[in-house]
Amino acid sequence: MNVSGNLLAGAHVATRLPAQDLERARRFYAERLGLEPVDERPGGLLYRCGSAEFVLFRSTGASPGTFTQMAFEVDDVTTVVAELKQRGVVFEDVDVPGFKTRDGIAEIDGNYPSKGARGERGAWFRDSEGNLLGVGEPVP
């Protein structure tokens, strides 16, 4: 362990999302997003996407859903949004000064440090537990 440097720089980061009803959440992630847990315990479900992972854990608390809690970076956000809509996912409509979704997708100019991209195209939806999730495509 390097005590003189940043202790967490080499750490693996994993998202934790609360679920008041773990079985309802499992159904949503399977039926709507096409994701199945790779491991499960009585209090949680572990999912892997690419080299990242996230956990849905049983919680008595609820997410406020007022900010993006987790996002999926994809190559073609238009195709992903269209497919998820066909599976019953409902995307958020946003219309505030300088930021508006069209057909569920917003153009985000220089708002996120997306791996050298000038911006991002993004869309947001809530899971069955109220967690706000995003889907984004970096724009070179």
Side-chain angles (χ1 to χ4, degrees):
M1 177 167 64
N2 180 356
V3 294
S4 64
N6 185 335
L7 296 174
L8 300 178
H12 178 80
V13 176
T15 299
R16 306 289 190 250
L17 299 172
Q20 290 188 330
D21 185 328
L22 207 51
E23 286 308 309
R24 176 178 62 201
R26 175 200 299 270
R27 285 190 307 276
F28 177 88
Y29 280 78
E31 295 168 7
R32 302 287 192 262
L33 306 184
L35 298 173
E36 295 292 340
V38 296
D39 193 11
E40 58 186 277
R41 304 291 157 88
L45 304 169
L46 172 67
Y47 293 85
R48 284 201 183 98
C49 296
S51 63
E53 56 188 33
F54 68 95
V55 169
L56 293 171
F57 69 94
R58 183 174 292 122
S59 174
T60 57
S63 167
T66 57
F67 55 88
T68 306
Q69 294 164 262
M70 182 176 75
F72 299 91
E73 185 177 295
V74 299
D75 293 331
D76 183 351
V77 72
T78 302
T79 299
V80 170
V81 167
E83 174 66 27
L84 292 177
K85 282 181 177 180
Q86 287 182 347
R87 294 179 180 197
V89 173
V90 177
F91 284 84
E92 299 286 303
D93 286 320
V94 179
D95 188 359
V96 296
F99 192 88
K100 180 177 178 153
T101 54
R102 287 183 181 80
D103 296 323
I105 300 172
E107 303 289 331
I108 308 157
D109 215 12
N111 197 21
Y112 297 118
S114 298
K115 299 183 174 107
R118 70 166 173 80
E120 188 170 18
R121 298 181 69 228
W124 297 266
F125 62 93
R126 295 177 198 286
D127 71 6
S128 61
E129 307 309 297
N131 297 304
L132 186 61
L133 308 179
V135 179
E137 171 191 351
V139 177

